[in-house]
């Protein structure tokens, strides 16, 4: 009998928008767009691209950026009930995010414990923001992910776990490919269909609760 363990993305999944994109649109000089395009066309890795984008931002912007994100980011419907649901059902739940500690942690601090959050860290001590990568790729991944979701999944789950990934984007694809089941929206949904991964589309976290209840019956 396998036990459900949930690995959940943050940007575009728990929050409705992508917070890195929102920060760059608001605060970065126009060069950030070219870097973003280079990431999307896979000319440079996610780690390189995201690091470069943040290095365009002076560190003294930190309070402005944090205030902006905390006042504009929206949490997807049903997330709060979802957190209560996983607690009640005793389902291990982790947030695995390519986002930064300074917005991921405060946005959900009233709901989840910090020790279930895996994300990147921003260092504001220099002239420009420097990103630290505490969860970079292990020896089995050569993707230069930045925050390597497959490496984290390998570290925190075992063969006994029924790994469920929740996500929205191409940055979740590698994690989705090592999952037993995927809840997907947006680009990740297209990719799940393309790669034939077992999945369900979702719009709100209420949708996920409903399907998890069904999944429980089949997985036990
Ligand atoms: Mg995302
Ligand atoms: Zn990786």
């Amino acid at each position: 009998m396998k036990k459900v363990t949930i690995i959940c993305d943050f940007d575009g999944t728990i929050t409705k928008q992508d917070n890195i994109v929102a920060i760059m649109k608001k605060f970065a000089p126009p060069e950030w767009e070219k870097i973003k395009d280079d990431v999307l066309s896979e000319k440079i890795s996610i780690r390189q691209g995201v690091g470069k984008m943040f290095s365009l931002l002076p560190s003294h912007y930190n309070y402005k950026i944090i205030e902006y994100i905390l006042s504009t980011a929206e949490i997807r419907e049903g997330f709060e009930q979802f957190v209560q649901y996983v607690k009640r059902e005793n389902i291990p739940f982790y947030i695995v995010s390519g986002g930064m500690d300074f917005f991921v942690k405060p946005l959900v601090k009233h709901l989840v414990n910090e020790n279930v959050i895996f994300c990147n860290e921003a260092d504001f001590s220099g002239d420009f923001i420097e990103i630290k990568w505490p969860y970079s790729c292990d020896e089995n991944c050569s993707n230069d992910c930045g925050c390597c979701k497959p490496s984290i999944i390998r570290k925190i789950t075992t063969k006994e776990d029924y790994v469920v990934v929740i996500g929205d984007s191409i940055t979740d694809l590698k994690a989705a490919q090592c999952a037993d089941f995927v809840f997907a929206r947006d680009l990740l949904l297209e990719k799940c269909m393309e790669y034939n991964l077992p999945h369900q589309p979702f719009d709100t976290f209420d949708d996920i609760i409903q399907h998890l209840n069904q999944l429980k019956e089949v997985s036990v």
Side-chain angles (χ1 to χ4, degrees), residues 53-203:
M53 280 187 223
F54 275 94
S55 74
L56 298 171
L57 302 174
S59 290
H60 68 83
Y61 280 18
N62 57 349
Y63 295 110
K64 274 197 292 192
I65 295 174
I66 293 169
E67 196 204 348
Y68 174 69
I69 284 297
L70 297 189
S71 61
T72 55
E74 285 178 87
I75 303 288
R76 187 171 300 283
E77 287 86 4
F79 182 66
E80 200 168 332
Q81 295 89 307
F82 180 74
V83 170
Q84 287 159 4
Y85 171 83
V86 294
K87 275 183 195 155
R88 197 167 59 236
E89 297 287 325
N90 248 321
I91 299 174
F93 171 73
Y94 301 95
I95 297 174
V96 176
S97 165
M100 308 306 148
D101 55 351
F102 69 85
F103 62 80
V104 175
K105 289 177 180 175
L107 280 170
V108 292
K109 74 166 189 297
H110 55 301
L111 299 171
V112 294
N113 209 311
E114 259 197 28
N115 61 12
V116 301
I117 301 176
F118 297 79
C119 63
N120 300 313
E121 288 166 15
D123 179 348
F124 299 102
S125 63
D127 288 343
F128 292 88
I129 301 175
E130 192 189 332
I131 303 303
K132 307 283 189 196
W133 313 97
Y135 305 106
S136 44
C137 303
D138 65 17
E139 65 284 0
N140 295 308
C141 183
S142 53
N143 200 38
D144 201 22
C145 301
C147 176
C148 185
K149 298 187 180 193
S151 300
I152 293 171
I153 291 175
R154 280 189 282 275
K155 206 161 88 184
I156 63 181
T157 66
T158 71
K159 282 202 203 87
E160 312 303 310
D161 294 314
Y162 185 87
V163 178
V164 172
V165 162
I166 308 174
D168 74 305
S169 183
I170 193 76
T171 49
D172 301 304
L173 179 58
K174 291 261 181 325
Q177 286 170 322
C178 41
D180 294 293
F181 195 82
V182 185
F183 290 100
R185 55 189 316 282
D186 215 11
L187 191 55
L188 185 64
L189 179 56
E190 288 171 32
K191 291 289 166 190
C192 284
M193 294 193 268
E194 187 184 325
Y195 288 89
N196 255 317
L197 305 175
H199 72 278
Q200 275 287 342
F202 76 98
D203 184 33

